[in-house]
Amino acid sequence: ATYLLGLVLGALVCARWISRDKSALLASFARVQLGIGVAAAISLGFAGQVATLLHALDYSALDASGLAKLGLVVALVVLAPTTLIGMSFPLASELAVHRLSALGSRVGLLYSLNTYGGVLGSLCAGLVLLPLIGVQAAFVLFVLGNFALFGALWLTQPELRGFPGLKREAALSAGMVAVVLVLLGPGYIRRQLTLYPGEKLVYEETEDATFMVLQHDDPLVGPFQQLVVNGTSYANNRPEGRRYMALLAHLPMLLHPEPTETVVICVGTGTTIGAASLHDRARQVWSVDVTRHVFGYAKHFVPLNNHFFEKPHVHQVASDGRHFLQVTDRRFDVLTFEPPPPIESGVVNLYSREFYELADARLAEGGIVAQWIPFQQGFEEIHRMLVRTMDDVFPHTSLWIPNRDEGILIGSHQPLRIDYAALAERMREPDVARDLHEVGIDSPEDLLATFVGADDDLRAYVGDVPVVTDDHPFVEHFFRYPNDRFDVRDALAHGTPIEAVLTGPLPDPDAMAHARRAQEKLWDAERNIRGQQWQAADADLTAALAERPGNTYLTFIQGVTRRVMERRQSGAGDPR
């Protein structure tokens, strides 16, 4: 929007003031090229400071005031050069129509060149220059291109050489650009984009995005890796996230009697696809991500992604998730999705009714769909819309919340019916049992304890909220809704007893009761952690561990909680 605003402002300025002096049209056009070069060089400096400027403005993407702050920073980066670019085309039009008899053909030719230039510029910048020479070098190349255009005009148009002051302006402009580029120095953009704590394992500017893989040695949780895409953290393998990421694969794979064909859309660190690859019954596992580069970064997230990229039965597909489902003729037993949060731009396409209808068309008989619902994002009404949307397509849905208000939504055409003995047998597969143990799931009871509700009970919780569709992407308009925090107790008020979805009685009701109390205490602890009630959270986790002694995930969370408490008591603060 800011870019287009600049073009309009430039055209307006040109029409109102600059183009009126017909004797100076060529000189004005030449001056604008110098101005674009200077403004672009300065914009390069601002571009490297975007994160710093947004931090200084206390910017938050979840706050409506953030739009104005973001708009201000974007204007600093792009408004000046685009305004000057907006002047160029009207000036070129004026220069092209000196002969009235050729007005139509000259303007038509100019519009054609402008259109072809826009297309070729986008293709060359995105597919050639960015991956080959990077953002900064491409920026400088275009700055030099504007000066080269001025030089060509100077050499071929004798009238310019006699225009008063133009030579001095050119020298001054070139000097300003040289000073700016020297001050910024080579590698400026890379230095600014990598101002993150931790060791930089990967920095790559590609045709898809700018990627970083960071290695952290966190005083609370120990070493872990993080994937950053265009400055936004998309995934990491901290234990808190690993639990739900692993269960996004394990849960539907365990609920399905024979998941031979599985697809995971959105790869990230590969934790989910790695978990899916462990199941003995999975003959073909398809991993799909919109960019091929994430597969190359997977080696940095081992062993938590279980080396999925080395397994012959795991297929790597670089494709948009919807496009993959549209063009494949395969049918899948399990489809599991972990796209970015739905409030990110464009991601609603992986949460809409049309997407679930497409997924439904690719399900084999008895197939299961699993979707991540990030309740911790706030805007609780929006997340109920997401649940309602899947329920609108699949007759039977169930909600599971393993931790941190991270929901896993299961959809199918069959009612949820769990055979405890079959579930226990599947969980005893050695690789599956090991992976589940590492995220604190040691028994069928631990897994079943994360179940919240299904079908009519879940619909009662969701209420009469609208369905998200491609043409009504409500989740992208989240500022229209109150930013209320999700509270698992609201969902539990409409919960379904686990006994209602089992095919037979529990073999050990006491074990189930212990697991459920531990899970409820974990939910309480995480709610207290969000509220920075550390002592209450510690008490909740102590109670949870009393129910499930030695549980790896509960032990980890309590360890983190106590280290935060120790740091706060010592005055060191919370390092998160």
Side-chain angles (χ1 to χ4, degrees), residues 394-469:
F394 295 97
H396 300 282
T397 52
S398 60
L399 177 63
W400 308 65
I401 301 180
N403 67 308
R404 274 199 333 180
D405 300 337
E406 309 274 6
I408 299 176
L409 198 60
I410 300 291
S412 68
H413 285 273
Q414 300 77 34
L416 181 64
R417 301 295 291 163
I418 302 173
D419 184 325
Y420 179 95
L423 176 64
E425 181 181 357
R426 295 166 193 160
M427 291 179 66
R428 282 194 291 268
E429 291 179 14
D431 288 339
V432 173
R434 171 190 55 79
D435 205 56
L436 288 171
H437 168 74
E438 290 175 0
V439 296
I441 304 295
D442 295 316
S443 68
E445 287 82 6
D446 288 333
L447 183 65
L448 297 175
T450 67
F451 173 68
V452 174
D455 296 344
D456 290 341
D457 294 325
L458 190 56
R459 296 180 190 111
Y461 158 66
V462 169
D464 189 24
V465 294
V467 170
V468 177
T469 63

Side-chain angles (χ1 to χ4, degrees), residues 161-203:
R161 294 194 287 274
F163 204 87
L166 190 58
K167 184 176 181 180
R168 183 177 64 253
E169 292 169 18
L172 181 61
S173 298
M176 290 176 62
V177 168
V179 169
V180 170
L181 295 182
V182 168
L183 289 175
L184 297 180
Y188 166 73
I189 288 293
R190 176 176 182 139
R191 290 195 307 274
Q192 295 305 119
L193 293 183
T194 55
L195 289 177
Y196 286 83
E199 178 187 356
K200 282 73 179 177
L201 303 180
V202 171
Y203 175 84

Side-chain angles (χ1 to χ4, degrees), residues 258-529:
E258 199 64 32
T260 58
E261 295 272 348
T262 299
V263 62
V264 178
I265 291 179
C266 298
V267 173
T269 63
T271 302
T272 303
I273 187 69
S277 71
L278 296 176
H279 290 257
D280 292 343
R281 296 163 298 143
R283 291 201 299 265
Q284 302 282 340
V285 180
W286 300 79
S287 56
V288 181
D289 199 279
V290 73
T291 173
R292 61 184 171 85
H293 299 282
V294 294
F295 299 109
Y297 308 142
K299 63 184 179 182
H300 297 290
F301 298 96
V302 297
L304 300 187
N305 59 18
N306 293 296
H307 297 265
F308 76 88
F309 50 92
E310 298 175 351
K311 298 179 178 180
H313 72 295
V314 176
H315 307 281
Q316 301 175 18
V317 180
S319 177
D320 172 79
R322 285 181 68 151
H323 182 254
F324 171 78
L325 294 178
Q326 285 172 332
V327 300
T328 185
D329 58 358
R330 307 184 75 90
R331 293 293 183 269
F332 302 99
D333 303 302
V334 169
L335 292 90
T336 186
F337 316 121
E338 194 201 352
I343 60 175
E344 294 282 336
S345 176
V347 180
V348 67
N349 293 327
L350 297 179
Y351 289 92
S352 69
R353 179 172 60 193
E354 289 82 355
F355 173 64
Y356 291 130
E357 289 172 344
L358 180 58
D360 185 29
R362 294 294 174 264
L363 272 184
E365 184 71 24
I368 291 176
V369 167
Q371 174 68 282
W372 174 55
I373 306 293
F375 288 112
Q376 88 286 358
Q377 288 287 311
F379 301 100
E380 193 264 350
E381 185 175 352
I382 281 177
H383 294 98
R384 287 191 287 120
M385 293 180 195
L386 299 178
V387 178
R388 166 78 191 281
T389 301
M390 180 182 276
D391 183 70
D392 192 63
V393 175
F394 295 97
H396 300 282
T397 52
S398 60
L399 177 63
W400 308 65
I401 301 180
N403 67 308
R404 274 199 333 180
D405 300 337
E406 309 274 6
I408 299 176
L409 198 60
I410 300 291
S412 68
H413 285 273
Q414 300 77 34
L416 181 64
R417 301 295 291 163
I418 302 173
D419 184 325
Y420 179 95
L423 176 64
E425 181 181 357
R426 295 166 193 160
M427 291 179 66
R428 282 194 291 268
E429 291 179 14
D431 288 339
V432 173
R434 171 190 55 79
D435 205 56
L436 288 171
H437 168 74
E438 290 175 0
V439 296
I441 304 295
D442 295 316
S443 68
E445 287 82 6
D446 288 333
L447 183 65
L448 297 175
T450 67
F451 173 68
V452 174
D455 296 344
D456 290 341
D457 294 325
L458 190 56
R459 296 180 190 111
Y461 158 66
V462 169
D464 189 24
V465 294
V467 170
V468 177
T469 63
D470 286 349
D471 56 352
H472 289 95
F474 298 107
V475 296
E476 288 195 337
H477 306 163
F478 51 90
F479 288 144
R480 295 175 55 188
Y481 305 95
N483 190 2
D484 297 329
R485 297 289 311 189
F486 169 77
D487 192 330
V488 69
R489 292 173 296 189
D490 295 334
L492 292 173
H494 301 280
T496 304
I498 190 63
E499 292 79 4
V501 298
L502 295 175
T503 59
L506 285 163
D508 189 347
D510 287 342
M512 186 69 242
H514 284 297
R516 183 64 176 197
R517 286 195 293 267
Q519 182 65 44
E520 290 174 350
K521 283 298 181 181
L522 173 62
W523 288 328
D524 291 342
E526 291 174 330
R527 183 171 58 251
N528 282 321
I529 288 172

